[in-house]
Amino acid sequence: CSESDLGPISLNWFEELSTEAPP
Amino acid sequence: DVSEQLTPVLLDGPREESLQLVSELQDSSCSCAVDVSTVWWEAAGCRELRVVTASESAVSLWEPLAPACWGKVYTWHLGEMPVIQIVPLPDTCNLVCVALGELEIGEIRLLLYSSETDSFKHSLVKTGNIKAVVGLKDRRLVSSSRTMQEQQVEMVSLSETGGSKDRQTLMPPEDTVTAFAEVEGLREALVGTTAGNSVVVWNLKTGQLLRKMHVGYSYPASICHRAYSDSGLLFVVLSHPLAKESESCGSPAFRVVAFNPCTGRSVGVMFSCLPPGCAGRQVPGGDVWDAVGAAVLTSGAVAVWDLLRGQFVAVLPPGPAGHWALARWAGGGAGLLAGRRDGTVHLYRY
């Protein structure tokens, strides 16, 4: 997989999405 | 002849047998087996893996007796609703969870031994029109249920004595959740698949619905089995019981799909397909342990795949005694349980 397929990857995706998502 | 019939047929070239028959149990009182599973059981300071068998009206607990032999410890009789499935609770001791109902799950019960009363008993955990249920580590149970107006997704923390300690509501997606899978490497994450063919991700601690990602139109009615978080990606093992046969792949049994949760984009990583010449299709309800998938085919055989290599590893053909109807991975890496409707269960080491 590469960024061209999947877009920018973040190792901390779970924490980042938890900060952004509505409570 | 018997030993030859029990020997798995390997279709992947010369290699060691990947499935070896370890033991067999026969529930002579079982008229129609519906599920089989294992549970860790601790008694008199000894912790061992026991087999659980379910028919529509009863669930039995079996202990290992030397050599390669099983003895029935107890049978719970559950008369009001038929048993539909056993719900495995990973790493949980002395608790068996079952789902009961007619066409849909109507209630979830815990079966256990109570040291207080020195007796086996069962307790009700949840009722409703339950669409999907999964057991998670640390005695947690997540289910989705529907009323006419809305969908409820709820996590129940279970006590050792079969009660419910705590209930956490998870934010429901718009479409009905059809299956759940825990995420290896992220204790507080849970994934699900929906009737609209999306993969959804929750934060179990906060109940937030973090992301909804469409699987694509090529593989409808996806069912999630396992998920792994690694290198910033979410790898989800899906099965597609309703997918059509394609020229490039044949009949897909399992797929591993990598999702980038940040962008919602995905790519297929590996296909595991029925090999050419293997008759039949996958019966819904395959099982995944670690990176190995098992499924019953309509031909009455059990097929096993290495999901990371996309390789068909072994098949247990239907024998003269009857077709295989159940295929479940035993806990603790103990192997594969294959069951027939007549109550016969074989345990294979993998």
Side-chain angles (χ1 to χ4, degrees):
Chain A
C1 305
S2 67
E3 289 203 350
S4 60
D5 295 322
L6 294 165
I9 291 166
S10 168
L11 294 178
N12 298 317
W13 64 268
F14 187 72
E15 290 75 18
E16 288 173 15
L17 291 180
S18 296
T19 306
E20 295 166 9
Chain B
D1 284 344
V2 171
S3 65
E4 196 173 306
Q5 285 148 14
L6 296 174
T7 304
V9 176
L10 300 172
L11 302 180
D12 193 29
R15 52 185 290 170
E16 286 184 30
E17 285 186 359
S18 50
L19 289 171
Q20 295 169 311
L21 182 64
V22 176
S23 58
E24 173 182 348
L25 67 86
Q26 173 71 49
D27 191 352
S28 54
S29 63
C30 178
S31 54
C32 184
V34 296
D35 206 353
V36 61
S37 187
T38 53
V39 61
W40 287 106
W41 206 272
E42 194 170 320
C46 178
R47 190 175 182 219
E48 63 188 10
L49 198 66
R50 295 184 172 183
V51 169
V52 183
T53 57
S55 68
E56 283 197 343
S57 60
V59 178
S60 296
L61 180 68
W62 301 74
E63 64 179 350
L65 303 171
C69 170
W70 297 84
K72 195 185 286 187
V73 176
Y74 186 76
T75 298
W76 289 269
H77 293 279
L78 304 154
E80 291 175 21
M81 278 191 198
V83 178
I84 293 180
Q85 67 171 108
I86 300 166
V87 183
L89 292 166
D91 297 346
T92 298
C93 215
N94 296 27
L95 276 183
V96 176
C97 183
V98 290
L100 305 102
E102 300 290 341
L103 288 173
E104 288 190 339
I105 299 169
E107 62 180 42
I108 297 168
R109 283 186 180 270
L110 286 177
L111 317 178
L112 66 152
Y113 171 78
S114 167
S115 55
E116 282 182 12
T117 58
D118 189 24
S119 62
F120 287 90
K121 63 174 193 173
H122 54 93
S123 65
L124 187 63
V125 176
K126 192 174 178 68
T127 59
N129 296 316
I130 298 163
K131 303 291 182 183
V133 59
V134 69
L136 307 175
K137 285 174 184 148
D138 305 322
R139 286 200 305 272
R140 298 174 298 169
L141 196 70
V142 179
S143 61
S144 65
S145 54
R146 269 228 174 260
T147 63
M148 289 294 280
Q149 291 80 28
E150 61 178 11
Q151 177 174 215
Q152 185 199 43
V153 183
E154 187 185 57
M155 178 171 69
V156 182
S157 296
L158 306 167
S159 72
E160 287 181 21
T161 54
S164 45
K165 278 198 304 191
D166 186 35
R167 288 176 187 262
Q168 158 87 47
T169 301
L170 309 182
M171 191 174 169
E174 289 165 6
D175 46 344
T176 302
V177 178
T178 54
F180 296 102
E182 65 180 333
V183 181
E184 289 288 321
L186 276 176
R187 183 187 177 277
E188 298 302 341
L190 179 73
V191 302
T193 38
T194 73
N197 211 29
S198 292
V199 166
V200 287
V201 187
W202 287 276
N203 181 327
L204 287 172
K205 200 168 186 177
T206 62
Q208 290 167 294
L209 180 62
L210 300 181
R211 185 62 89 188
K212 184 176 176 185
M213 303 173 286
H214 200 258
V215 176
Y217 296 102
S218 302
Y219 298 94
S222 302
I223 297 291
C224 60
H225 293 266
R226 298 280 285 182
Y228 316 85
S229 178
D230 192 11
S231 308
L233 296 174
L234 186 62
F235 296 87
V236 184
V237 178
L238 301 168
S239 68
H240 310 278
L242 302 182
K244 289 176 183 168
E245 197 169 329
S246 70
E247 284 182 14
S248 57
C249 175
S251 291
F254 294 99
R255 279 199 314 152
V256 180
V257 180
F259 290 89
N260 181 351
C262 293
T263 62
R265 291 188 213 165
S266 64
V267 291
V269 175
M270 196 56 74
F271 291 78
S272 295
C273 300
L274 300 187
C278 186
R281 291 178 51 78
Q282 181 188 358
V283 176
D287 196 24
V288 175
W289 164 74
D290 200 11
V292 217
V296 176
L297 309 181
T298 50
S299 62
V302 170
V304 179
W305 292 266
D306 179 329
L307 301 177
L308 293 184
R309 294 190 174 87
Q311 282 179 346
F312 187 65
V313 180
V315 61
L316 300 173
H323 288 194
W324 297 112
L326 306 164
R328 298 274 182 267
W329 293 105
L336 179 72
L337 295 157
R340 295 196 186 104
R341 289 281 177 229
D342 66 0
T344 306
V345 174
H346 287 184
L347 174 62
Y348 292 90
R349 186 180 294 122
Y350 176 73

